[in-house]
Amino acid sequence: MIRWIPLFFALLLLPALAASDDAARHERAPEPGDEQPGGDFTLQSSRGEFALKQFRGRVVLLYFGYTKCPDVCPTSLAVLAQALGELSDDDLKMVQGVFVSVDPDRDSFQVLDDYVSYFHPNLIGVTGTAAELAEVAALYGVEYGKVDLADSAFGYAVDHTSTTYLITPEGDLRFMFPHQTPSFVILEAIRYVLTADPSG
Ligand code: NI
């Protein structure tokens, strides 16, 4: 039940999504050997334990990155924030943005909180130990790795997958938005999932 939304395809797909949920039934059936990304995980935030399971009933937008990212993370989070900013207050209560830092050595909870709140108050910053993060990343097919920067005060960068994941109120990974997906595509997907009949 997972759909990649490449840019060019999203533009064609979204009117269909908005019109009916037929699209959800026309996906390629999973084949043996397919790895289905997604799943529950537990990490930590400044508010204590963050368990994805606790967010059943809400649409979760999940992104992996790090606060010292020079441009990819800020762009992705700005786009996500723009989509969140278009939601009504009532809809926003049904949505949770989650930024997972894969750079726990530098991203303390304080640093994370300051960073995500700059983009949108709905966002929560979470992280964990290297082992915990590796496990969560594997679930979602996220790749990341340190790159030494000899001439930078930052010391190192972290190359990382820049996909935004949409998890339904039932806890299923439904959409994966590649980097540079426009905010209206994400917004329409959120609205689509919020209004979808879970029994349908
Ligand atoms: Ni980044």
Side-chain angles (χ1 to χ4, degrees):
M1 295 298 283
I2 301 146
R3 190 181 297 115
W4 266 100
I5 303 198
L7 259 184
F8 61 92
F9 187 56
L11 301 175
L12 300 173
L13 182 65
L14 274 165
L17 282 183
S20 80
D21 63 354
D22 273 1
R25 302 191 185 109
H26 294 164
E27 291 167 20
R28 186 178 66 88
E31 291 165 8
D34 278 5
E35 288 189 30
Q36 296 291 317
D40 282 325
F41 60 85
T42 301
L43 290 169
Q44 304 291 325
S45 78
S46 63
R47 304 173 212 173
E49 190 175 88
F50 172 91
L52 185 61
K53 227 183 276 184
Q54 291 165 347
F55 291 84
R56 290 291 188 275
R58 280 189 242 182
V59 174
V60 173
L61 282 312
L62 181 65
Y63 186 82
F64 296 77
Y66 68 115
T67 69
K68 290 190 167 53
C69 186
D71 52 20
V72 176
C73 288
T75 306
S76 298
L77 290 178
V79 165
L80 179 55
Q82 203 177 345
L84 294 173
E86 293 292 323
L87 292 170
S88 68
D89 288 347
D90 280 348
D91 280 352
L92 203 51
K93 287 176 193 154
M94 307 300 291
V95 176
Q96 180 64 56
V98 180
F99 179 75
V100 177
S101 170
V102 292
D103 187 14
D105 292 345
R106 292 185 295 192
D107 288 343
S108 65
F109 294 138
Q110 185 63 56
V111 168
L112 269 174
D113 284 355
D114 290 348
Y115 185 72
V116 299
S117 66
Y118 169 80
F119 291 95
H120 198 283
N122 175 278
L123 286 165
I124 183 172
V126 306
T127 191
T129 65
E132 287 168 339
L133 290 166
E135 207 169 303
V136 178
L139 279 178
Y140 284 83
V142 169
E143 294 180 354
Y144 59 95
K146 282 185 186 180
V147 180
D148 284 325
L149 298 174
D151 299 324
S152 167
F154 286 153
Y156 65 91
V158 185
D159 278 354
H160 62 89
T161 305
S162 55
T163 301
T164 300
Y165 302 86
L166 187 153
I167 299 158
T168 67
E170 296 76 46
D172 300 320
L173 174 58
R174 173 64 65 84
F175 293 115
M176 302 196 288
F177 307 103
H179 188 53
Q180 295 187 325
T181 298
S183 64
F184 78 86
V185 173
I186 298 175
L187 175 65
E188 288 309 311
I190 294 170
R191 285 182 169 152
Y192 167 70
V193 170
L194 280 176
T195 55
D197 176 1
S199 65

